[in-house]
Amino acid sequence: MRAILPIIAILLFGYGTPGAFSQTNYDEVFDGDQVRPHYQKYWDIYSRLNHEQKEKFVERSVKDFQGDNALLPIPRVLSAADGNILKQGVNQRARALQEFLKDYYSGKKIYASEGLIPEAVVQAALDRSLEKGLPNFSDSYGFNFWYGPDIIRDAAGTFRVVEDNLGFIGGMGDLLKARESLVKNIPEYKELADKTLNPDPFYKQIADRYLQMASENQGLALLISYHPLSSTDNEDARLREIFEKNGIENFILQGT
C-alpha cells in the first residue's frame, strides 16, 4: 500500500505575520518568530513577492488548471523526517483497513466478536454508503485500493487523520501540473523544486505494478473512467494522460 507523499504540496492558507497562528494551531512555516529550516529558502523567495505578484500567481495557476484549482505562491514543504512518519503511519492505517475489510467480507467478523467495533456502527456505515447486500468473499480475496487520508496537524504538531479516502483521492492527477505551474510562474523556485522528489517515478511505479499484474493473469491493464460530462473538473483527463504515457490503456464509460 502506497501513500501519496509529494514533497511539495500547496498551503491552504496565506501568510502575513510570522507565528500568527502559533497560539492555537501548528504553524508549518514558523516556529515562534523563526522560519523552520526546511522552509527558509522558500520563504526567502516568497517574502520578496509583492501583493500584486502573489495575486497574479494565483490567477495564472487557475488558468494552468483550466479553472479547477488555485495554487498559493508558497508551497507546502515536508521535511524528510515528517515524510518518513507519514509514510509509516499511512501504510499502517491502510493495512489495518485492508484487514478490517477482509474480516467483514469473509463473514468472520472478528471485530464484533472481540468487541472492537460494534456491529451496529458497521451496519449504519453500510446503510449510508448503500453497500448492504454485497456477497461475502473468501479469505483469499485481495482488497487493493488507492488510499490517501486527509491529514492535518494538531496544535502540538502531531499528524491527525481527518478522513480516510479509499479509491477516490482528490489531487491524484494534479501532482505534475502543480509542480509545473509553481516553477513556471515563480522561476526562482525551480532550483529548489529540482531537489525534491519528482512525481513521475511515483506514477511509473504504480503503472508498472498494474502491467505486471495484468501480465501474470493474462489480462489487460486498463484505467476505467466515467464519461467527461460526468466529471466535475479536468483532473480525470490529466490522470488518463499520465497513465497512458506509462503504458496503461484508457477506457471511458459512456453515458452520464
Side-chain angles (χ1 to χ4, degrees):
M1 195 54 52
R2 303 179 183 89
I4 297 179
L5 295 175
I7 291 301
I8 292 184
I10 302 302
L11 285 172
L12 300 181
F13 47 84
Y15 267 86
T17 304
F21 305 106
S22 60
Q23 296 302 311
T24 56
N25 302 303
Y26 182 85
D27 191 316
E28 291 286 342
V29 180
F30 286 91
D31 183 3
D33 293 330
Q34 300 297 313
V35 178
R36 298 185 187 278
H38 56 285
Y39 265 101
Q40 186 63 63
K41 292 182 178 179
Y42 291 92
W43 182 258
D44 290 343
I45 295 171
Y46 172 78
S47 60
R48 292 197 295 267
L49 301 176
N50 60 38
H51 181 71
E52 182 179 354
Q53 289 173 315
K54 293 173 183 177
E55 286 195 333
K56 184 63 67 176
F57 173 88
V58 174
E59 292 174 6
R60 289 172 177 168
S61 71
V62 172
K63 184 177 180 180
D64 289 339
F65 276 94
Q66 299 172 280
D68 296 341
N69 302 309
L71 306 183
L72 291 182
I74 182 169
R76 171 75 177 274
V77 183
L78 292 176
S79 67
D82 282 342
N84 187 52
I85 289 173
L86 284 172
K87 183 176 182 179
Q88 293 183 57
V90 172
N91 182 65
Q92 181 188 54
R93 194 176 181 94
R95 292 185 182 280
L97 288 168
Q98 279 186 314
E99 291 304 313
F100 167 75
L101 291 172
K102 286 193 292 185
D103 183 34
Y104 174 80
Y105 284 108
S106 70
K108 295 179 179 179
K109 299 187 179 181
I110 297 174
Y111 65 84
S113 62
E114 295 291 333
L116 301 175
I117 306 174
E119 182 65 15
V121 172
V122 174
Q123 294 304 316
L126 289 169
D127 281 335
R128 186 181 64 177
S129 59
L130 303 178
E131 294 182 40
K132 271 195 171 180
L134 291 178
N136 290 341
F137 300 105
S138 68
D139 292 351
S140 62
Y141 189 88
F143 286 92
N144 298 289
F145 44 82
W146 288 357
Y147 176 58
D150 292 337
I151 296 173
I152 63 170
R153 294 196 207 236
D154 61 21
T158 302
F159 289 109
R160 303 288 185 182
V161 173
V162 179
E163 180 181 5
D164 289 301
N165 299 302
L166 278 66
F168 187 83
I169 304 175
M172 182 67 177
D174 291 342
L175 303 181
L176 291 172
K177 182 60 66 177
R179 187 187 186 95
E180 173 191 315
S181 181
L182 181 73
V183 300
K184 181 183 74 173
N185 295 312
I186 303 182
E188 292 84 353
Y189 281 140
K190 185 178 188 308
E191 182 179 352
L192 297 174
D194 286 345
K195 296 177 182 178
T196 66
L197 294 180
N198 191 311
D200 279 313
F202 166 73
Y203 292 114
K204 186 178 186 305
Q205 184 181 34
I206 296 175
D208 286 349
R209 176 57 178 154
Y210 290 157
L211 291 169
Q212 178 187 348
M213 293 172 66
S215 176
E216 291 172 352
N217 293 278
Q218 293 78 51
L220 178 66
L222 285 176
L223 176 65
I224 300 175
S225 56
Y226 292 104
H227 190 278
L229 293 178
S230 302
S231 300
T232 57
D233 59 23
N234 299 287
E235 184 184 349
D236 287 352
R238 289 189 283 271
L239 194 60
R240 286 194 294 269
E241 181 180 347
I242 290 170
F243 277 100
E244 187 172 34
K245 183 179 70 173
N246 285 284
I248 303 295
E249 295 189 34
N250 287 298
F251 181 81
I252 301 177
L253 296 174
Q254 299 302 311
T256 57

